[in-house]
Amino acid sequence: SRVAHFVIDVDDLDHGVAFWSAALDAKEEPLSEASSQVYRKLRLRDSDVRILLQRTADPKTHKERMHLDLESAEVRRLEQLGATRWDHQQERGYDFWVLRDPWANEFCVLQINFPDLLARRQPWPDLGAAESGSS
């Protein structure tokens, strides 16, 4: 077995592609016309795992049992894309933010743990000195 997709539920596929491709610097991959009515697939630049957005009208009713952890110091940039801060965790020797995407799916923004891997990424456009940081 291997992980092929991490699936995220959204109620608007176009909005989901816009948010998650900007948040993760991902590119949309084509799907068949029949599949693209329910799914959209995003390719991450530095991983073979794909993000699969799944259209659903089901309301979120409780906490996810699985979620993404993003290594970043860009909480404000993610908020500008439409994420909201939900919880600030400072437990078990870690300090991180739990955010929610526009569909209330939770994901975590961690402090940088692998600077050599993160350094391989292209820098994000400068949002201004007042807009950077994770607080």
Side-chain angles (χ1 to χ4, degrees):
S1 299
R2 73 179 269 299
V3 175
H5 300 112
F6 189 91
V7 182
I8 300 173
D9 289 346
V10 299
D11 64 3
D12 180 325
L13 289 169
D14 292 333
H15 189 200
V17 167
F19 176 83
W20 283 109
S21 63
L24 300 173
D25 191 25
K27 302 291 181 205
E28 185 174 4
E29 290 187 333
L31 292 172
S32 71
E33 177 137 358
S35 291
S36 66
Q37 302 303 308
V38 179
Y39 301 105
R40 299 288 179 81
K41 189 186 325 183
L42 301 177
R43 179 186 178 100
L44 304 171
R45 293 176 1 116
D46 52 3
S47 175
D48 290 332
V49 174
R50 302 297 194 264
I51 301 296
L52 190 67
L53 303 175
Q54 175 178 263
R55 183 174 52 84
T56 180
D58 296 340
K60 180 180 171 187
T61 60
H62 58 279
K63 182 184 183 314
E64 282 81 18
R65 298 298 296 186
M66 298 177 77
H67 63 270
L68 292 173
D69 278 354
L70 305 183
E71 183 180 45
S72 177
E74 301 177 316
V75 170
R76 288 193 177 132
R77 186 184 71 81
L78 295 166
E79 288 176 314
Q80 289 178 343
L81 295 173
T84 55
R85 293 181 203 211
W86 186 64
D87 191 19
H88 186 202
Q89 295 282 322
Q90 294 178 305
E91 299 177 9
R92 302 175 300 276
Y94 295 97
D95 184 350
F96 61 94
W97 280 97
V98 179
L99 275 66
R100 288 185 170 165
D101 73 6
W103 303 272
N105 298 306
E106 295 147 19
F107 63 99
C108 296
V109 179
L110 311 177
Q111 294 176 340
I112 295 171
N113 293 295
F114 301 98
D116 55 326
L117 294 176
L118 197 57
R120 296 180 195 171
R121 304 283 317 236
Q122 294 293 324
W124 297 108
D126 185 12
L127 298 175
E131 298 297 326
S132 65
S134 61
S135 56

